[in-house]
């Protein structure tokens, strides 16, 4: 079937909230499993597991539809290039290959496994014990030939009977403590910080585009419920409360501004266009994950209370320019700093990361003295010769400046 997809069309509902690396209006195609793959077993009985038999008629139809939309668009009065996005759960291997190579011709596919992943992590793992290795594996698990749209939440999480990530993290505190005039409770503070980490990891590791369901970018507190017999055909929840993010006295603006900054950074530095990330370290004991993509270094400490102290990682570049900090005061952070220490080993950094924080650093040449020979020991002069504090606040420079300080071995 070729039909309107609410999940894909939300890319263009809020322009700042999702960035697909093509600035054209999409032709939204929802590809159900039953339309491309026979959902019955070989014996004709119904099966919840799709078989390997392709529905040839449906596949040919989608190939023709994508060929028409991409190659014959001017003939149909469509002057701009079109983007087609497939929402599909059978794992069809040729979904994003062009029809000339035997594929169905979609530009992107939705990474429909990522939202259930985050639901499972937040439901089953307490704060400070996230399965980061499993998270990184699932976010990176995609075919190189398929351009993938990553998203942390979808419309299913916002419907009545389900819970958004924001509500799972902050619960009913959202109804009483999202005003800046009320005290910032630990649950609200951690919930806002965790949401920022989830979105950064999803955008940076999850795919070649980033999608958001409208309203979830600022942590909409209520569900969507359309008129039906069960709610007496009420229209009360059939809406999105945009006034919440427009009120400067509410903390919803923090998440809204952060989502905008994250997407602007992705567009400016192009990590959605870049090849897969290279994981530098994943340590579930200290809740640290660091990886490189698009000549950027991403550092995430997912522990809500414990900082990471002088953790060694091996990187491929000289990183000293702060691109984005989830702990910026503009979106509810404490303006704490990431501290980098260089050692005598080439390409090694010692990371000191505040709790519940993530930082994105850009690579550039640093004016520091050359590293000492490999023979230098841990206690000898030159074992660690420069520290860089990135961020702002009482324990770091203001405004994202770079500060070099000598270290005493």
């Amino acid at each position: 079937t070729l039909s309107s997809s609410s999940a894909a069309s939300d890319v263009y509902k809020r322009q700042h909230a999702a960035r697909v690396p093509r600035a054209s209006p999409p032709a939204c195609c929802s590809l159900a499993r039953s339309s491309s793959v026979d959902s019955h077993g070989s014996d004709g009985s119904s099966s919840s597991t799709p078989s390997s038999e392709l529905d040839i008629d449906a596949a040919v139809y989608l190939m023709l539809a994508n060929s028409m939309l991409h190659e014959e668009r001017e003939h149909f009065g469509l002057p701009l290039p079109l983007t087609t996005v497939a929402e599909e759960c059978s794992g069809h291997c040729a979904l994003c290959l062009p029809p000339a190579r035997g594929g169905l011709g979609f530009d992107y596919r939705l990474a429909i496994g990522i939202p259930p992943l985050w639901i499972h992590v937040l439901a089953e793992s307490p704060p400070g014990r996230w399965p980061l290795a499993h998270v990184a594996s699932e976010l990176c698990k995609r075919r190189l030939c398929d351009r993938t749209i990553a998203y942390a939440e979808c419309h299913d999480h916002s419907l009545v009977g389900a819970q958004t990530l924001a509500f799972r993290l902050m619960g009913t505190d959202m109804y009483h403590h999202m005003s800046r005039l009320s005290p910032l409770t630990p649950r609200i503070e951690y919930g806002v910080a965790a949401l920022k980490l989830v979105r950064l990891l999803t955008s940076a590791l999850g795919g070649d585009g980033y999608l958001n369901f409208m309203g979830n970018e600022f942590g909409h507190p209520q569900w969507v419920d359309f008129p039906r017999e069960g709610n007496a055909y009420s229209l009360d929840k059939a809406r999105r409360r945009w006034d919440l993010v427009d009120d400067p006295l509410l903390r919803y603006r923090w998440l809204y501004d952060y989502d905008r900054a994250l997407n602007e950074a992705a567009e400016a530095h192009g990590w959605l266009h870049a090849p897969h990330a290279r994981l530098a370290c994943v340590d579930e004991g200290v809740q640290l994950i660091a990886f490189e993509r698009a000549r950027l270094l991403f550092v995430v400490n997912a522990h809500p209370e414990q900082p990471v102290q002088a953790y060694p990682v091996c990187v491929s570049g000289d990183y000293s320019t702060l691109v984005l900090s989830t702990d910026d005061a503009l979106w509810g952070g404490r303006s704490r700093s990431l501290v980098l220490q260089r050692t005598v080993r080439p390409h090694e950094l010692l990371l000191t990361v505040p709790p519940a924080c993530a930082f994105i650093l850009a690579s550039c040449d640093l004016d520091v003295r050359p590293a000492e020979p490999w023979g230098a020991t841990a206690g000898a002069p030159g074992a660690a010769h420069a520290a860089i504090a990135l961020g702002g606040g009482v324990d770091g420079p203001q405004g994202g400046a770079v500060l070099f300080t000598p270290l005493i071995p």
Side-chain angles (χ1 to χ4, degrees):
T1 59
L2 192 67
S3 62
S4 175
S5 169
S6 61
S9 62
D10 285 327
V11 176
Y12 293 88
K13 292 292 180 62
R14 302 286 283 184
Q15 289 293 331
H16 71 279
R19 289 286 186 261
V20 175
R22 292 179 67 172
S24 59
C28 301
C29 303
S30 179
L31 175 61
R33 180 184 65 189
S34 59
S35 70
S36 63
V37 179
D38 186 1
S39 60
H40 297 280
S42 58
D43 59 353
S45 62
S46 178
S47 172
S48 60
T49 303
S51 70
S52 59
E53 298 180 2
L54 183 68
D55 187 330
I56 301 298
D57 291 339
V60 171
Y61 169 74
L62 292 173
M63 294 169 70
L64 291 173
N66 278 303
S67 296
M68 178 195 73
L69 292 172
H70 290 101
E71 300 172 11
E72 305 293 336
R73 54 182 176 78
E74 294 183 359
H75 177 74
F76 294 96
L78 303 173
L80 297 176
L82 297 174
T83 299
T84 56
V85 180
E87 183 179 12
E88 191 263 355
C89 59
S90 71
H92 184 52
C93 60
L95 195 67
C96 295
L97 289 177
R101 296 177 58 188
L104 301 186
F106 286 94
D107 294 297
Y108 295 89
R109 72 186 309 156
L110 295 180
I112 62 174
I114 295 179
L117 167 70
W118 285 120
I119 291 294
H120 176 77
V121 169
L122 297 182
E124 303 295 333
S125 303
R129 298 186 62 183
W130 285 7
L132 292 179
H134 176 65
V135 168
S137 174
E138 291 298 311
L139 291 178
C140 295
K141 188 167 64 177
R142 59 187 183 274
R143 299 187 187 95
L144 293 176
C145 63
D146 289 345
R147 292 190 294 180
T148 304
I149 302 296
Y151 55 112
E153 298 182 84
C154 64
H155 57 285
D156 293 337
H157 297 166
S158 298
L159 296 177
V160 62
Q163 291 182 336
T164 63
L165 297 184
F167 197 85
R168 286 181 178 272
L169 288 164
M170 294 179 279
T172 56
D173 280 22
M174 299 184 70
Y175 297 129
H176 308 288
H177 299 288
M178 287 300 280
S179 172
R180 297 190 186 186
L181 302 179
S182 64
L184 180 62
T185 65
R187 190 173 186 183
I188 292 293
E189 183 178 24
Y190 172 71
V192 171
L195 278 173
K196 291 184 286 188
L197 300 186
V198 166
R199 293 172 184 179
L200 185 144
L201 289 171
T202 303
S203 175
L205 284 177
D208 309 285
Y210 180 67
L211 173 68
N212 173 76
F213 179 70
M214 57 182 182
N216 287 9
E217 74 272 12
F218 64 88
H220 197 285
Q222 294 179 330
W223 56 91
V224 176
D225 191 11
F226 295 103
R228 56 188 174 85
E229 184 178 359
N231 64 7
Y233 300 98
S234 172
L235 293 169
D236 182 57
K237 297 296 189 294
R239 58 174 179 166
R240 297 273 86 180
R241 291 283 307 278
W242 303 116
D243 59 297
L244 296 176
V245 73
D246 294 332
D247 190 339
L249 294 179
L250 296 180
R251 294 185 171 112
Y252 296 103
R253 188 77 191 189
W254 288 348
L255 293 170
Y256 180 89
D257 289 340
Y258 170 76
D259 217 58
R260 178 192 293 270
L262 178 66
N263 284 302
E264 288 177 348
E267 187 169 352
H269 294 272
W271 67 68
L272 295 175
H273 302 271
H276 282 205
R278 186 193 74 85
L279 291 174
C281 76
V282 181
D283 191 330
E284 294 182 354
V286 297
Q287 290 288 283
L288 177 69
I289 178 171
F291 56 92
E292 295 176 284
R293 190 180 183 188
R295 294 181 57 83
L296 299 172
L297 175 64
F298 299 79
V299 179
V300 179
N301 178 6
H303 200 287
E305 299 176 353
Q306 299 297 327
V308 174
Q309 300 288 349
Y311 194 100
V313 297
C314 184
V315 297
S316 62
D318 291 329
Y319 297 100
S320 66
T321 303
L322 181 64
V323 174
L324 183 70
S325 168
T326 64
D327 202 46
D328 197 302
L330 292 175
W331 29 83
R334 301 184 184 181
S335 296
R336 292 167 293 186
S337 301
L338 167 70
V339 177
L340 307 180
Q341 297 173 235
R342 302 191 176 278
T343 72
V344 297
R345 298 179 177 86
H347 305 294
E348 184 182 63
L349 290 178
L350 301 181
L351 303 177
T352 298
V353 193
C357 290
F359 298 87
I360 305 176
L361 309 178
S363 177
C364 69
D365 296 327
L366 300 179
D367 185 16
V368 296
R369 62 191 178 97
E372 299 294 335
W374 272 87
T377 60
H385 57 266
I388 308 169
L390 298 174
V394 293
D395 54 353
Q398 297 288 343
V402 179
L403 175 66
F404 293 89
T405 58
L407 294 182
I408 306 300

